[in-house]
Amino acid sequence: MIRLQRRCAPKAANSTGIAGQFRNGISGHSHRNTQLIIILFPSLNFGAENGDILTAPCTSVEKVDFKNAAIEVRRRGVLKFDSGTSYSYDSPDHAEAAHPDWQNEISLDHIINPEAGLSLRMIVISSGHLTGTGAWGTVLIFTCVDGRLLKVFDRQYLYSAKVTFLEPHVISITSPDWDKDDPKCCPSHEKLESFRWNPVRKTFYSFKTIRKTLN
């Protein structure tokens, strides 16, 4: 198993083409210092003998086998997936326990084409707390730039995240929403947040939020 770590830092501002547009756009975005950790299992074959993504370019985001790789996820750490499922623990001290604390599933794996010549890969990870209450929904979007896997969107929601594809360049995420007096178990509202692709910054940005009362 190979553990790779890199920072997605912007390069020169005079770059051209899709890769240059990504670099220039990210340089002005709050995610420019996003740290991406990818762990490759032997079954994750990028064509290099040693399996190193740095010597085996990511030529197509459609071919990345996320269901048998590992991804760093906020609040969950590095999740090692096997056929789309990963188990994790609340703390390193729990790693020797008979039962894991969390079950994490890749519940959605979808290709998006928000502009001509560009393919993105959306992964939704649903995490359920096996030894307690609560859940998380994590929405991640990746693409390939300069032969590297790049994360262009990262959102996490308490309990769940339901994605709706409105147009190739517009998505909506529905999640629970709480009033200040709501108990944590029982949100009284849901939030529908719509995101539109920004072809300059090369990411999705929130442009509309609707809050609805739950019956």
Side-chain angles (χ1 to χ4, degrees):
M1 182 174 68
I2 300 172
R3 186 178 188 275
L4 304 176
Q5 178 173 314
R6 66 183 181 83
R7 290 187 181 275
C8 301
K11 297 184 180 179
N14 61 353
S15 301
T16 59
I18 289 292
Q21 292 173 32
F22 265 99
R23 289 194 293 268
N24 296 340
I26 291 171
S27 67
H29 193 265
S30 61
H31 289 173
R32 62 183 180 275
N33 291 324
T34 297
Q35 186 182 67
L36 174 62
I37 296 177
I38 298 294
I39 298 176
L40 305 184
F41 295 117
S43 60
L44 188 58
N45 181 14
F46 285 85
E49 291 182 2
N50 61 2
D52 190 335
I53 194 172
L54 299 178
T55 59
C58 175
T59 58
S60 172
V61 74
E62 292 96 329
K63 297 180 180 179
V64 179
D65 187 8
F66 287 105
K67 292 186 177 181
N68 291 289
I71 308 171
E72 184 181 37
V73 176
R74 284 184 287 167
R75 296 184 176 90
R76 300 275 63 80
V78 176
L79 300 181
K80 303 175 183 179
F81 286 95
D82 183 358
S83 300
T85 301
S86 171
Y87 295 94
S88 56
Y89 300 86
D90 284 326
S91 72
D93 295 339
H94 291 188
E96 301 300 325
H99 302 288
D101 295 306
W102 292 84
Q103 180 173 333
N104 311 280
E105 300 276 353
I106 294 180
S107 55
L108 178 68
D109 185 347
H110 189 79
I111 300 296
I112 310 172
N113 303 107
E115 60 179 271
L118 176 63
S119 292
L120 306 177
R121 184 89 167 268
M122 173 183 282
I123 303 294
V124 177
I125 299 172
S126 300
S127 302
H129 202 183
L130 301 176
T131 57
T133 59
W136 291 94
T138 303
V139 182
L140 305 173
I141 301 178
F142 298 90
T143 194
C144 291
V145 176
D146 286 345
R148 309 286 181 84
L149 191 65
L150 177 69
K151 181 164 56 178
V152 299
F153 186 87
D154 184 344
R155 295 288 190 280
Q156 194 169 66
Y157 301 87
L158 183 59
Y159 283 129
S160 65
K162 179 182 178 182
V163 178
T164 302
F165 299 95
L166 304 178
E167 299 179 49
H169 62 286
V170 179
I171 62 174
S172 177
I173 300 177
T174 303
S175 61
D177 198 30
W178 287 259
D179 281 340
K180 64 179 182 178
D181 295 327
D182 289 344
K184 188 65 70 175
C185 68
C186 309
S188 59
H189 293 75
E190 68 176 9
K191 180 174 64 176
L192 287 76
E193 190 172 9
S194 296
F195 298 84
R196 179 179 286 121
W197 178 251
N198 185 321
V200 176
R201 292 193 171 186
K202 299 298 178 184
T203 190
F204 284 91
Y205 68 95
S206 176
F207 72 94
K208 182 173 66 174
T209 300
I210 299 174
R211 195 167 185 259
K212 293 184 177 181
T213 302
L214 295 173
N215 295 328

